[in-house]
Structures are given as structure tokens and as C-alpha cells.
Amino acid sequence: MQKGKGRTSRIRRRKLCRSSESRGVNESHKSEFIELRKWLKARKFQDSNLAPACFPGTGRGLMSQTSLQEGQMIISLPESCLLTTDTVIRSYLGAYITKWKPPPSPLLALCTFLVSEKHAGHRSLWKPYLEILPKAYTCPVCLEPEVVNLLPKSLKAKAEEQRAHVQEFFASSRDFFSSLQPLFAEAVDSIFSYSALLWAWCTVNTRAVYLRPRQRECLSAEPDTCALAPYLDLLNHSPHVQVKAAFNEETHSYEIRTTSRWRKHEEVFICYGPHDNQRLFLEYGFVSVHNPHACVYVSRGWNQLCS
Ligand SMILES: C[S@@+](CC[C@H](N)C(=O)[O-])C[C@H]1O[C@@H](n2cnc3c(N)ncnc32)[C@H](O)[C@@H]1O
């Protein structure tokens, strides 16, 4: 008898395929995650039902360790674990930020802190978090110009706009970086290089959660709404789920509740927003295969061709 041609074997194959698509390999035993959990615990984080894992379709993400019901809290991260502009202003950078005129933007404050702490290495209080951050990103701004040239015309233009924006961000921040020289033994140019700032910009752009806008005199008027949320920022995006995510002023924690159900050992997703694939690629460096928000961009005046 020939094997693997019957109905039962087709069903078995389909089931296997479906489960291996979502089955991740638990990574919580890895030293970087053990260190991160210790660090989070010291900052009052209570272990969640999630574990870091690597998934075949989406890469690193978080896996449920128990089944999760609709409306259940999936993660609650205390304020002490969040990296915000408050963290930066309270740090050794605070005095330099307060002195600098015109005031640096909230984004520049966060990026400067990330670069500086990364440079501090073992001396950084944020080391366990910095260690799990990606070393490189896949947003268009990080692609080689030859690769950008291969993108469809409208996306290529957006990618070039993004590159120009980050280059301008770097150029306009260099005087501020120079003012930080007293803090470092090495030349600031070598610490706050374009590639270091690009890494920090992508870290904030692809991982930050949204906080209610705040305004501080020592920072420029741009919205101060970004916070880095260690561990919680390991959650990947799915356009098919809904979550409620916000900072809870009563518990002083950033909380995410799911409106979906999750089985044990499934990858748990959140939704970054109703983004089409162009937006996902530009902001986060990936596309979603079955994206209900996918759309086709057409040039202005296309409908005149049809008349
Ligand atoms: C907030 S982080 C999520 C955790 C990230 N995967 C990690 O390993 O640190 C956002 C980044 O995760 C990746 N990502 C998120 N959702 C994804 C998905 N559905 N498919 C592929 N990559 C995804 C993208 O690189 C995105 O910039």
C-alpha cells in the first residue's frame, strides 16, 4: 500500500502543518532572559503567563504558558520598568538636557539615553534589557540603497524620505551630543555615531508603546508619548486580534488585556494598529501575509486612464 496518499494522512499532514506554524521553541532558559526576569522582578514585575519563544513564521515573540481567556490581563508592567523621558531626565543626562537650548525633543532624549547606556555596557542599570534588543533592524531606513532601488516606486520614495528624516535627525543632534563630552572618556563622535543613533531610532520606532501626552519645559513641544516597555515589547503583531492596552493610573502599570482566547503554547499577539503592509514595512520592517488592511497604492490620475 502506498503511504501518505489517503484522507487520514492528508488530515494528519494538515494538522501537523498547522501546529508547527504556531509552535514556538521556548527560550526562557536562555541566560539573557533569565537576567531580564531577575531585573524585572527587582522592579516589582510579577511573572506573567507568557514565555519568550522563537516561532517559525514570526521569529521571536511571547508564548502562552496557560490558556488565556477573553478579557484576561496578559501582561502588567509596573511603571518602574518603563523607560520614558522621566527616566532620562532623572539620569546623569538630565542636567545636560535641561541646559540645552533649544530644548531637545522627547525622541532625542530617549535615543541619547539608549546610545549612552549601550555604550556603558556592564555599568548600565538597563543592561538586561539592552541585551535582548535586536542588534539590527529591517526597516527601510536600514536597507542598502541598492535594495531600496528594488522597491515599488511609491514605497521607494517613502523609504528615501525616511532615510532623509533620520539623517537630518542625526545632523541636527550633533551639537547636543558634543555638549555631553564631559560625561565620557572617549570622543562623543565615536559614541553617538550615525549607526548608533539609527539603532536607537529604530528601537524606539519599532518597540515603543503609547503613553498619554505629557509636556515638560526642558523638552521641545513634540508629543512626549513614547515609552519602552521591556519584555512586553516582545509581543508580535497580528492584524486579526484585538487588545486593550494602556497605562493604568491606579495600578501605575502598563496593562494589556486580550479580547481573544489563546491556547496553551500558542504565540500571543497584539495589534499594533490597523496598518496596511506598506505602513508595517516602513514603521516596523515586516509585512503581514494575510493582512485584511492590505491595499494597493495607485498614482494620482489613474482613473483618467479608464475614462
Ligand atoms: C515590538 S517588537 C516585537 C518583538 C520582536 N519580534 C523581537 O524579537 O524583539 C516589533 C518587531 O517585531 C517584528 N514583528 C512583529 N510582528 C511580526 C510579525 N507578525 N511577523 C514578523 N515580524 C514581526 C518586527 O521586526 C517588528 O519590528
Side-chain angles (χ1 to χ4, degrees):
M1 199 174 92
Q2 268 191 319
K3 279 198 177 157
K5 291 265 162 115
R7 183 167 173 272
T8 318
S9 112
R10 268 202 310 276
I11 292 172
R12 200 178 302 135
R13 238 189 350 251
R14 214 178 297 141
K15 271 191 184 161
L16 192 69
C17 185
R18 205 185 305 144
S19 62
S20 66
E21 253 174 36
S22 56
R23 188 175 298 153
V25 178
N26 193 321
E27 294 200 333
S28 51
H29 60 281
K30 287 192 164 179
S31 59
E32 64 264 33
F33 289 119
I34 294 173
E35 290 306 312
L36 181 65
R37 260 209 314 278
K38 278 194 222 157
W39 182 87
L40 289 165
K41 202 170 165 195
R43 291 171 179 238
K44 308 263 182 295
F45 174 69
Q46 283 168 0
D47 229 345
S48 68
N49 293 321
L50 306 174
C54 191
F55 298 90
T58 50
R60 195 173 59 167
L62 290 178
M63 169 201 269
S64 58
Q65 292 191 295
T66 57
S67 59
L68 299 171
Q69 303 307 317
E70 274 172 46
Q72 194 173 334
M73 178 101 72
I74 54 173
I75 194 162
S76 169
L77 198 67
E79 191 170 18
S80 51
C81 300
L82 296 177
L83 198 174
T84 65
T85 51
D86 277 342
T87 320
V88 182
I89 290 161
R90 280 198 308 262
S91 77
Y92 51 90
L93 291 173
Y96 292 83
I97 290 176
T98 314
K99 252 192 328 218
W100 192 252
K101 295 287 173 288
S105 66
L107 176 63
L108 178 58
L110 288 175
C111 289
T112 305
F113 187 75
L114 280 173
V115 173
S116 171
E117 290 294 299
K118 183 94 175 150
H119 173 74
H122 289 284
R123 288 172 287 125
S124 171
L125 292 175
W126 290 82
K127 181 173 180 279
Y129 175 52
L130 297 170
E131 288 287 300
I132 65 106
L133 289 175
K135 307 277 176 278
Y137 291 92
T138 53
C139 308
V141 64
C142 303
L143 300 179
E144 294 299 323
E146 303 87 77
V147 179
V148 173
N149 264 331
L150 301 172
L151 297 174
K153 209 168 148 196
S154 70
L155 185 53
K156 181 178 163 211
K158 294 268 180 205
E160 283 167 348
E161 230 172 71
Q162 192 180 57
R163 183 182 296 267
H165 172 77
V166 179
Q167 283 173 345
E168 162 56 24
F169 179 50
F170 176 62
S172 62
S173 307
R174 295 190 79 177
D175 288 344
F176 171 65
F177 296 147
S178 299
S179 78
L180 304 177
Q181 187 62 68
L183 291 171
F184 302 96
E186 302 82 351
V188 278
D189 281 355
S190 66
I191 302 167
F192 295 93
S193 60
Y194 177 73
S195 60
L197 189 67
L198 177 62
W199 168 82
W201 186 88
C202 290
T203 300
V204 176
N205 213 45
T206 63
R207 308 183 78 83
V209 295
Y210 179 86
L211 294 183
R212 201 162 46 83
R214 295 152 309 159
Q215 185 74 62
R216 241 180 239 93
E217 243 171 58
C218 62
L219 295 175
S220 70
E222 275 114 318
D224 186 0
T225 54
C226 288
L228 287 164
Y231 201 62
L232 182 151
D233 65 0
L234 288 170
L235 285 160
N236 283 326
H237 164 83
S238 165
H240 305 290
V241 302
Q242 285 185 354
V243 289
K244 286 190 180 146
F247 185 77
N248 183 332
E249 301 284 351
E250 280 165 24
T251 59
H252 290 277
S253 299
Y254 193 91
E255 297 174 347
I256 301 186
R257 283 177 192 279
T258 173
T259 54
S260 316
R261 283 186 196 177
W262 305 95
R263 282 178 305 195
K264 188 175 174 180
H265 295 157
E266 253 185 330
E267 175 164 18
V268 175
F269 291 98
I270 56 172
C271 182
Y272 298 173
H275 304 320
D276 66 55
N277 279 338
Q278 174 162 305
R279 175 102 188 261
L280 283 177
F281 182 52
L282 283 166
E283 302 288 339
Y284 302 99
F286 75 101
V287 292
S288 176
V289 183
H290 303 291
N291 190 349
H293 309 291
C295 56
V296 175
Y297 287 79
V298 289
S299 345
R300 196 170 292 159
W302 68 277
N303 52 351
Q304 285 164 10
L305 294 174
C306 308
S307 55

